[in-house]
């Protein structure tokens, strides 16, 4: 029991005021955690895709050049566009063609064509040939590029394979990949 002379007891503090103070403390913590989550999410996105705004340069003779920075895992992930619609590319020199996950192909207006067998790391699956009107990465844009719609591929990323890359000079140095039109 607390005596009336207790120096730590505030004489005017009632239970309702204490409850209001506790509410503000909880709200402050919720706000702080939410702010940290928001900031961390943006940081994490930049770690995964350090090339969200790919700026290219024009060189002499009409040559276009793009430099990509590797992410923390050493992969080259970059934002670009297919048929004018934003896409996230994962550069894959081991992929024969541009491979579009089936779940996002409709967003790019990629019409499935003739079925083909795909040999992937997970085995054999069926894909569908398509022709992409335009594929853009920075200031490099190619027209009528072969692609494959791969219904078995998961996620949102498009593999930027050799049907696009074969038209470019590719140079890697340290953690930088330079792509240049010929």
């Amino acid at each position: 029991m607390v005596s009336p002379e207790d120096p730590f007891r505030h004489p005017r503090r009632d239970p309702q005021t204490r409850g209001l103070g506790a509410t503000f403390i909880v709200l402050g913590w919720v706000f702080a955690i939410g702010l940290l989550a928001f900031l961390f999410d943006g940081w994490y996105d930049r770690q995964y895709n350090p090339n969200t705004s790919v700026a290219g340069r024009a060189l002499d003779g009409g040559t276009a050049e793009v430099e990509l920075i590797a992410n923390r895992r050493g992969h080259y992930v970059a934002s670009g566009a297919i048929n004018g619609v934003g896409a996230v590319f994962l550069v894959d020199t081991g992929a024969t063609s541009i491979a579009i996950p089936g779940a996002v192909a409709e967003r790019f207006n990629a019409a499935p064509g003739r079925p083909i067998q795909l040999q992937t790391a997970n085995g054999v699956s069926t894909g569908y040939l398509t022709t992409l009107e335009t594929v853009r990465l920075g200031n490099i844009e190619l027209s009528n590029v072969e692609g494959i719609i791969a219904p078995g591929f998961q996620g949102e990323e498009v593999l930027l394979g050799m049907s696009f890359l074969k038209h470019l000079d590719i140079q890697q140095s340290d953690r930088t990949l330079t792509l240049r039109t010929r």
Side-chain angles (χ1 to χ4, degrees):
M1 186 178 250
V2 179
S3 69
E5 296 86 33
D6 186 350
F8 297 106
R9 182 179 169 138
H10 194 283
R12 292 189 200 129
R13 188 170 285 166
D14 61 42
Q16 188 176 15
T17 306
R18 281 191 301 241
L20 187 60
T23 301
F24 279 115
I25 289 172
V26 169
L27 287 174
W29 276 106
V30 168
F31 177 76
I33 291 169
L35 181 63
L36 286 173
F38 175 76
L39 294 174
F40 180 75
D41 186 49
W43 174 82
Y44 181 76
D45 287 346
R46 285 187 303 279
Q47 294 297 309
Y48 178 71
N49 181 0
N51 305 294
T52 54
S53 60
V54 179
R57 344 182 240 277
L59 304 175
D60 293 337
T63 301
E65 180 181 88
V66 168
E67 284 188 351
L68 303 178
I69 307 298
N71 67 14
R72 291 181 61 161
R73 295 176 140 182
H75 298 143
Y76 294 99
V77 178
S79 299
I82 295 175
N83 296 338
V85 178
V88 175
F89 295 120
L90 173 61
V91 177
D92 187 352
T93 58
T96 305
S97 207
I98 293 176
I100 304 170
V104 297
E106 190 174 306
R107 183 171 59 191
F108 303 123
N109 294 319
R114 181 174 59 87
I116 61 167
Q117 294 297 308
L118 303 174
Q119 181 64 45
T120 69
N122 294 327
V124 177
S125 66
T126 300
Y128 301 91
L129 290 175
T130 190
T131 300
L132 306 170
E133 290 177 30
T134 60
V135 178
R136 175 181 279 278
L137 181 62
N139 64 337
I140 298 174
E141 182 173 291
L142 300 178
S143 300
N144 299 317
V145 182
E146 176 188 291
I148 297 172
I149 299 171
F153 283 15
Q154 302 299 314
E156 298 272 320
E157 294 139 352
V158 174
L159 295 182
L160 191 61
M162 293 307 293
S163 62
F164 180 84
L165 298 171
K166 70 183 179 184
H167 301 283
L168 308 174
D169 290 328
I170 303 170
Q171 181 181 7
Q172 182 185 18
S173 177
D174 275 334
R175 299 179 58 81
T176 302
L177 184 70
T178 303
L179 305 172
R180 187 177 302 124
T181 58
R182 298 181 182 144

